[in-house]
Amino acid sequence: MLTLVIILVALALILVAIIKFDIHPFLALFVGALVYGLMMGMPTELIIKSISEGFGGVMGSVGLLILFGVILGTFLEKTGGAMVIAEKVLKWVGEKSVNLSLMLSGWVLSVPVFGDSTIIMMNPIAKSLSSKSTISYAATIVAVSLGAMASHSLVPPTPGPIAAAGILGADLGLVIFYGGIVSLITLIPLYFFVQKWVTKIPLRPVIVADEANINIADRPSFFSSLLPIFIPLALIIIASIAAYPSKPLGEGRVVEAIQFLGTPVIALLIGAVLSFTLPKKFDRKLLASSGWIGESILLAAPVILITGAGAVFGKMLQNSGVGDLVTASMSDANWGIFLPFLIAFGLKTAQGSTTVAMITTASIVAPIMGALGLDSETMKVFTTVAIGAGALAISHANDSGFWVVTQLSGMTTKQGNLSHSLGTLIAGVTSILVVYALSLIVG
């Protein structure tokens, strides 16, 4: 009981620091881990060891993945490649199915690009389609936001799922596969929610000239835009299949080459390099510290540091022996896959950041995977996706994504809560139910 109290105190300190005092999550998590270690009476040598092992270990496995993923997304966004993909999806699905088109576009774009950036990029299209029809602007932009949230939380290479998979030691290829399945199934109730509920919110767009500010002639082709996303994902998935104990692809140098190229860090490096081909006129300054690479590093750095601090907290929990205590206290309980979901759900709702919620939850859950019966390779994957499901909800006033949606569209806070926020709750609950069903079938 005392250990549980100390854990709750440490988590409370972290949340209060982030929410009330607006302290950076990296510092809050790092100091929270240190406070936990001291309160538990851990030897100072073990505390220092936990810091170095936790931070260093996750940096080696996750840091570069996050960086390469952000570089890929930045080049897609800056060159207009992301917009090309969105417009192609709209064309395929058809403008008669506007909300479905926008939702699928948001889902596709938010795999390599941050969720907020996806909403901002897609807003001109959502606004234009609403203005040319009788569809509420609330419906078009919320369709984008919910599609973006679904893949942002569940499908790597966005930072949250990558970090959680790295901390839990889950196979990234399988996380991509099952995360994709879960998030696509989740879009079904979200689509009906938008069609039947959000369309009733009366909201018309105010159009200003050239809001998209995109030079169409300079944008890359659809094929070129898709390659940096498709090639890494395909390589990772194929390598995961090749690594199965049954050796479905056989053995030999070719398979070894496939497994090397499908190593997540190599695959995402390939994706990042392919994204360098997207600018119409390539300028080496784009790769300079003042160019897009420098901007990507600035975007990735906070996420990488937060991931490292979360890993320190997880290692501190592990080295304090909390796993054994939980095993003893939960031997008769059957929390299973729902505990990671509930922790992530609570953290996301409390502090707003999807990435922070996923990293913190993974760090807490990692030492007690055995006690929860989640330590098999398959269940590590489903645990990662369950954490993503929890981190989907609830996006409200403490989440930047909520304000991006409401401020761009002109929705009131109440309208935002009844559309975007309620939609993320539906998404989270649907996702965990799908994860649980899959775990029963596959696990």
Side-chain angles (χ1 to χ4, degrees):
M1 182 59 70
L2 179 60
T3 301
L4 177 61
V5 170
I6 292 173
I7 293 174
L8 292 176
V9 168
L11 285 174
L13 288 173
I14 292 169
L15 292 176
V16 169
I18 294 172
I19 298 169
K20 185 174 179 60
F21 296 104
D22 198 27
I23 293 173
H24 195 282
F26 165 75
L27 187 59
L29 280 166
F30 189 85
V31 174
L34 194 60
V35 169
Y36 170 80
L38 293 172
M39 290 177 68
M40 284 293 291
M42 293 172 62
T44 54
E45 297 85 357
L46 187 55
I47 290 176
I48 298 300
K49 181 182 178 183
S50 300
I51 292 172
S52 61
E53 288 183 352
F55 194 86
V58 80
M59 286 302 97
S61 60
V62 177
L64 288 174
L65 298 182
I66 294 173
L67 175 59
F68 293 147
V70 172
I71 290 173
L72 192 163
T74 299
F75 272 76
L76 269 174
E77 180 180 347
K78 297 283 188 181
T79 60
M83 190 64 73
V84 169
I85 295 172
E87 291 176 350
K88 182 63 72 171
V89 172
L90 282 168
K91 183 178 179 180
W92 284 344
V93 179
E95 291 193 7
K96 292 183 179 179
S97 303
V98 169
N99 291 330
L100 178 60
S101 303
L102 291 169
M103 187 172 286
L104 289 173
S105 298
W107 184 90
V108 171
L109 291 185
S110 204
V111 172
V113 179
F114 279 96
D116 290 2
S117 298
T118 296
I119 298 168
I120 292 168
M121 285 189 298
M122 287 294 297
N123 178 57
I125 296 178
K127 178 181 284 188
S128 175
L129 290 175
S130 174
S131 68
K132 294 175 183 178
S133 66
T134 59
I135 302 174
S136 168
Y137 185 22
T140 58
I141 195 167
V142 168
V144 172
S145 73
L146 294 180
M149 292 286 287
S151 59
H152 178 73
S153 296
L154 296 167
V155 187
T158 46
I162 281 183
I167 292 169
L168 298 178
D171 184 296
L172 195 60
L174 291 178
V175 173
I176 293 171
F177 179 73
Y178 285 112
I181 290 175
V182 171
S183 59
L184 283 172
I185 293 174
T186 299
L187 294 185
I188 297 172
L190 292 180
Y191 171 69
F192 286 105
F193 168 71
V194 171
Q195 287 290 93
K196 302 298 182 182
W197 176 257
V198 184
T199 51
K200 296 179 181 178
I201 298 176
L203 187 69
R204 300 305 302 164
V206 178
I207 302 295
V208 295
D210 195 27
E211 187 169 2
N213 194 29
I214 296 172
N215 189 344
I216 296 176
D218 292 336
R219 296 193 301 193
S221 68
F222 172 71
F223 181 75
S224 299
S225 302
L226 202 60
L227 275 182
I229 305 173
F230 176 77
I231 294 298
L233 297 183
L235 286 172
I236 292 171
I237 292 173
I238 293 171
S240 295
I241 294 172
Y244 283 175
S246 60
K247 303 292 181 182
L249 301 183
E251 296 179 301
R253 290 187 177 181
V254 174
V255 174
E256 289 178 4
I258 291 173
Q259 290 179 311
F260 171 74
L261 294 174
T263 303
V265 68
I266 302 299
L268 281 175
L269 173 61
I270 292 171
V273 172
L274 287 173
S275 72
F276 298 164
T277 66
L278 295 179
K280 185 176 182 180
K281 294 180 180 179
F282 184 79
D283 187 341
R284 283 182 297 173
K285 291 181 180 179
L286 295 177
L287 305 184
S289 58
S290 58
W292 293 354
I293 290 293
E295 186 176 328
S296 300
I297 291 172
L298 290 176
L299 286 170
V303 180
I304 293 172
L305 289 173
I306 293 169
T307 303
V312 170
F313 188 43
K315 183 60 70 172
M316 204 76 73
L317 286 167
Q318 182 179 344
N319 289 344
S320 70
V322 71
D324 296 334
L325 293 172
V326 172
T327 301
S329 61
M330 296 183 63
S331 57
D332 296 325
N334 189 23
W335 292 89
I337 203 75
F338 290 99
L339 182 61
F341 166 79
L342 291 172
I343 295 173
F345 183 97
L347 287 171
K348 169 59 186 291
T349 304
Q351 54 79 44
S353 169
T354 296
T355 304
V356 171
M358 293 191 71
I359 292 169
T360 306
T361 303
S363 302
I364 293 170
V365 170
I368 58 174
M369 295 281 283
L372 297 172
L374 305 175
D375 52 345
S376 69
E377 293 304 312
T378 303
M379 291 311 296
K380 286 179 183 178
V381 171
F382 286 130
T383 301
T384 303
V385 182
I387 290 172
L392 263 171
I394 299 172
S395 174
H396 58 100
N398 61 5
D399 180 13
S400 61
F402 175 86
W403 294 111
V404 168
V405 171
T406 55
Q407 295 306 301
L408 284 178
S409 63
M411 275 194 281
T412 64
T413 301
K414 181 179 179 181
Q415 288 174 330
N417 286 329
L418 290 172
S419 55
H420 175 78
S421 300
L422 182 56
T424 59
L425 175 60
I426 294 170
V429 173
T430 302
S431 296
I432 188 57
L433 292 177
V434 176
V435 171
Y436 178 65
L438 286 173
S439 70
L440 293 178
I441 296 170
V442 181

